[in-house]
Structures are given as C-alpha cells and as structure tokens.
Amino acid sequence: MTQSFSNYYAILDIDNFKHFLTAKVTLDYLIKKENTTKLVFYIHKDLKIHNISSENLDTYEVGNDVEEWSPFISESKKITINLKKSIQKGETVNIYFEYSGHITIIKDSEINRISDYYTELGIYSPWFPLSESLDKAYFNVKITTDNENIVVGNNSKQEKNHWIINQKIPTSDCTFLISKYFKDNKYEANFGNVCISIYYIENKHKPISKFLQERISVILKNYTTTFGHIDSQYISIVIVPRIQGGGYCRPGLIILPDRNTANSHYKYQSENEEKYYFKYLAHELAHLWWSKASVSTWEDWLNESFAEFSCLSATRNYYGEEEFIKTINKYKDNIKDLPPIKGLDRNNEKAFDVLYTKGPVLLYELEQEIGRDTFKKLLNCIHTSKVANTDMFLNKLLELTKNDIVNNFIKKLES
C-alpha cells in the first residue's frame, strides 16, 4: 500500500520544573520530489542533537544560527541531511533523531514553553524535526511527565504512567499542552456529534469558560445549518494566560489567549470580554470547516478569510445585524492600500490584514451581490465538495451564479 503522508513516532520525557525535553523520534518521511539527495528540517534552537541515523544517511549538519525562513516559525535552527542514494517521489526514508534541551518562552510571541505552571509545545518553535515544506504528517507521541499533570492535545489519552497522542488527521503540526491545573479547571459541552472540553489554568478565566460552554452550541448550530455537517470529533479548548501571541486551531485543539494580555493590535481587542471570547472562539471553531487549503501560500485566504467571515456571521446571528455591520464597516476602513489577495506573500507585513479584514469584506460584498440564500448554498457547496484552492472555489461560484459575477470577483482578488 502506497504511503500518502509522513509518519512521526515520538517518545518524549518532559520535566516541567527543569523546563527540559528529552526526545527520541522516528520519522518515516515521504519524498515529494524526484531524485532527492538532500533533506532539510528545522527544530528549536536550544535542542541539542545527539544522534541522527538512517540506512541511507551520508552526512548531516546542524546549524548554530536561528533561521528566518517562515513567517510562522520562530527561533528554529536548520538540520541538513545528505543521503547516500537519491530517492524518488513517493518513496519513504526512515530517519531516527535523538535530542534534548531546554525550551523557554519564545521572545516575540511566548507561544512555546516548558514550565512548571503550564507547557505549550508545537510548530511555532518546533519540538519535532519540521520539514522545510511544512508537509502534513501523522503523529503518534508518547509523553512521560509528572504524575499530577494532564496532557491536552489531539486525541490525548492517559495510559498507566504516560500519555498518548495519536493524531489520525494529517497535519503539519502536533501541538499539546500540559498542566496540573487542567484536572480541576474544566467544563464540557456537546453539540450533535461534537464533544468539547474547555480547560483553563487561572481562576480568573472560570467565568468566561462557563460563558463559552453555554455559547458553543449557538455557534455550532449556526455553522452546521449553513455549511453542513462535520465528522464526529472530540475538541479541547484551552484558555492560556500568556502575555503575547494569538490563538490558533489544530485538529481537535483550539487555543484562546488571555484578552487582558493578548497583543493590543489584535482585531478583537477593543471588544468587551464576552464579545472578545465569543468572536475568537467563533473564528477558531470555523476552522473545523475551513482548513482545507494550503497555509503557506496566498490560498490560505480560503482558510482564514472564510473563518473570519464565519465569525462575523455567528456575530450577526447572536448579537444582531447592527453589530455585524459595525464590524464590517470597521474592516472596510482598514483595507485601503492593502495588497491583493491573489499572489499574496505570506511573509508580507500586511498579510494578516489582507486575510483577516480584506478577505471577509470581499466575501460580504459577494453575499450582497448574489443574495444571502445563494451565498449560503455556496458555502455549503465549498465545504461538502472539499474545495482546497481558489480555482475550485471559482468553479463552484460559477455553478451557482454567472460569468460576470465570477469575473468581477476575480478582479477583486487581483486588486
């Protein structure tokens, strides 16, 4: 049987008090190009590589400098692996990595850390050897940590004296959080075939966790009615008390930052606490529907712009049309002189504004042009047809509308 994705098998020992990670990782890496003789990975700058081995290994080199290679990845160094023999596209190479080191807070975002208070590890300063092309992969991770700790991640389960994360959905990341406070600080909610647990670390987040528990069904009902059903799944939501860094969504996991300490420029920062968390959660929950396009190219607008418009739609449904229009008008005021969506460089300093404000405004204008009912049909069709690029989106738009509407939207994407 042909392997479709790479596979990570990791054994981790995490000492929260010493902020220390010890890792043994076996990677069955799927080759994407013909005649491949060199592989490039990135890993947290402070992790010391003790060993890399493979039957096809010639030499390897671990860089000393922090590499600026991706807008998403901070404080990582390069691992270059040279192979004895070239490998063809579709074949796999088995590589073993052994490493350890301290992981402290990322200087610019504070997203990654190991601490006795809580641990948050993932792609942003990768604890695992991350491929340069951000290839999707399966992850099977065994984590040993202090007995008091709870591990929260995609499909995380406790087995005797360790935890297992078995990610069955291929993704470029494996994020998990660890804290002893998760045991008692938890709410649960269910909607249809979706089961959600809400975790918090600091007691000040208890009231807002309860608020979210009561509003989740409102958001999911709105999305399911409009976009269509999603597969049965278990989702963990964690409110983290960090000073900087935003929220994000992974299969089975949603991270929400502290409103009082999150970056002041963030788009929801001016809202009161309930609206802030409602909108933030609505955006991240929307990624259960909108996460099929590439995140490393301009096609990411199909993920982020659609998730943000969905958030605005949930806001309209819950808080009313006036709140919706107020937000849309604010977004319109902020999109002047922004670069086009089509061809957007994800390293562009304006990329965030393009995807989170300009994209939703274009979708709102399309809704106005074709009518809300037709627009709902379009969203349902995009989700159920698993649209993953803009060409597919435009084809679906053409099926429901006319050539002049499609051509007009293309012009907006290009301007």
Side-chain angles (χ1 to χ4, degrees):
M1 182 177 176
T2 303
Q3 184 171 320
S4 300
F5 298 96
S6 299
N7 285 272
Y8 288 87
Y9 304 92
I11 300 175
L12 308 181
D13 191 300
I14 297 176
D15 189 326
N16 299 75
F17 294 95
K18 294 182 179 180
H19 306 178
F20 199 80
L21 167 72
T22 303
K24 297 178 180 179
V25 178
T26 300
L27 171 60
D28 290 329
Y29 184 67
L30 179 66
I31 301 300
K32 296 296 183 68
K33 296 181 180 180
E34 299 291 352
N35 301 315
T36 295
T37 58
K38 183 176 75 172
L39 304 175
V40 176
F41 299 93
Y42 293 88
I43 200 163
H44 189 280
K45 65 181 179 62
D46 293 330
L47 291 174
K48 181 179 180 180
I49 305 296
H50 303 302
N51 179 37
I52 298 177
S53 59
S54 173
E55 290 184 358
N56 196 15
L57 176 67
D58 184 13
T59 62
Y60 71 85
E61 179 181 359
V62 181
N64 295 316
D65 300 327
V66 172
E67 299 284 343
E68 301 293 337
W69 64 283
S70 167
F72 310 107
I73 315 302
S74 301
E75 300 186 7
S76 64
K77 60 186 178 183
K78 181 188 287 188
I79 301 173
T80 304
I81 296 176
N82 297 302
L83 303 174
K84 294 177 183 177
K85 300 178 182 179
S86 63
I87 304 179
Q88 304 308 308
K89 180 179 179 181
E91 297 179 343
T92 59
V93 56
N94 181 273
I95 312 169
Y96 174 75
F97 300 84
E98 193 168 339
Y99 50 90
S100 64
H102 295 89
I103 296 182
T104 54
I105 298 173
I106 296 177
K107 180 173 61 177
D108 296 330
S109 71
E110 300 196 358
I111 289 182
N112 274 42
R113 72 181 68 204
I114 298 177
S115 74
D116 54 344
Y117 193 38
Y118 79 98
T119 292
E120 180 181 6
L121 293 178
I123 193 174
Y124 294 117
S125 189
W127 63 264
F128 59 93
L130 174 65
S131 67
E132 188 173 38
S133 52
L134 302 177
D135 298 315
K136 292 183 177 181
Y138 296 106
F139 288 83
N140 189 287
V141 184
K142 177 182 177 182
I143 301 171
T144 302
T145 185
D146 189 273
N147 289 334
E148 290 185 333
N149 286 331
I150 302 294
V151 176
V152 176
N154 184 350
N155 199 29
S156 57
K157 295 180 180 179
Q158 188 172 20
E159 294 185 2
K160 296 182 179 179
N161 61 342
H162 62 266
W163 290 79
I164 295 292
I165 294 176
N166 185 15
Q167 287 193 180
K168 299 179 180 179
I169 300 175
T171 180
S172 56
D173 187 17
C174 180
T175 291
F176 57 88
L177 297 95
I178 303 175
S179 179
K180 63 183 180 182
Y181 298 103
F182 291 151
K183 182 178 181 181
D184 298 319
N185 299 345
K186 177 184 177 182
Y187 285 101
E188 295 187 346
N190 297 288
F191 179 82
N193 58 355
V194 179
C195 300
I196 298 178
S197 293
I198 305 168
Y199 297 91
Y200 59 97
I201 296 167
E202 297 191 346
N203 285 332
K204 68 177 182 178
H205 292 135
K206 182 176 181 177
I208 203 64
S209 297
K210 180 65 174 176
F211 170 80
L212 294 179
Q213 178 198 37
E214 295 168 351
R215 302 305 184 277
I216 282 173
S217 60
V218 174
I219 298 171
L220 291 179
K221 182 178 180 180
N222 175 253
Y223 289 171
T224 302
T225 301
T226 305
F227 312 144
H229 292 279
I230 54 176
D231 293 336
S232 176
Q233 53 191 289
Y234 180 89
I235 301 168
S236 296
I237 298 171
V238 183
I239 301 178
V240 290
R242 43 179 160 76
I243 296 174
Q244 296 185 32
Y248 53 95
C249 179
R250 299 290 181 265
L253 181 65
I254 293 174
I255 309 299
L256 302 179
D258 188 330
R259 172 183 178 269
N260 297 318
T261 57
N263 292 340
S264 61
H265 68 270
Y266 194 77
K267 60 185 182 299
Y268 306 141
Q269 195 65 24
S270 62
E271 305 287 4
N272 65 44
E273 187 174 48
E274 288 190 354
K275 283 185 181 178
Y276 169 85
Y277 280 109
F278 182 93
K279 290 184 176 182
Y280 220 133
L281 179 61
H283 177 98
E284 299 303 342
L285 283 174
H287 281 303
L288 299 177
W289 285 264
W290 314 122
S291 59
K292 303 175 185 71
S294 169
V295 299
S296 58
T297 71
W298 69 275
E299 298 282 9
D300 194 26
W301 85 279
L302 290 167
N303 303 320
E304 298 301 345
S305 298
F306 276 72
E308 184 59 16
F309 184 83
S310 301
C311 161
L312 299 183
S313 174
T315 301
R316 175 167 57 189
N317 179 65
Y318 187 73
Y319 288 105
E321 189 74 19
E322 183 178 347
E323 177 70 23
F324 172 79
I325 294 299
K326 183 183 75 173
T327 306
I328 282 290
N329 288 337
K330 183 169 65 175
Y331 283 18
K332 286 181 177 180
D333 291 338
N334 293 330
I335 66 174
K336 298 174 182 178
D337 302 321
L338 289 178
I341 290 177
K342 186 173 183 180
L344 177 70
D345 184 346
R346 291 298 276 109
N347 289 300
N348 190 304
E349 63 179 0
K350 297 293 185 181
F352 180 92
D353 293 325
V354 172
L355 297 177
Y356 287 82
T357 57
K358 187 174 185 176
V361 168
L362 264 59
L363 292 175
Y364 167 69
E365 292 174 348
L366 180 61
E367 181 191 59
Q368 292 293 102
E369 185 176 11
I370 67 177
R372 196 175 295 184
D373 289 341
T374 302
F375 189 74
K376 286 182 178 180
K377 290 179 182 178
L378 175 64
L379 294 176
N380 182 276
C381 187
I382 292 169
H383 166 62
T384 56
S385 300
K386 299 182 179 180
V387 167
N389 59 60
T390 302
D391 286 341
M392 294 174 67
F393 162 76
L394 293 172
N395 286 335
K396 296 301 177 183
L397 179 59
L398 182 59
E399 290 177 8
L400 294 173
T401 61
K402 301 176 181 178
N403 272 314
D404 58 341
I405 292 176
V406 175
N407 292 334
N408 183 46
F409 195 81
I410 291 174
K411 290 179 181 178
K412 290 183 177 183
L413 289 173
E414 295 175 343
S415 62

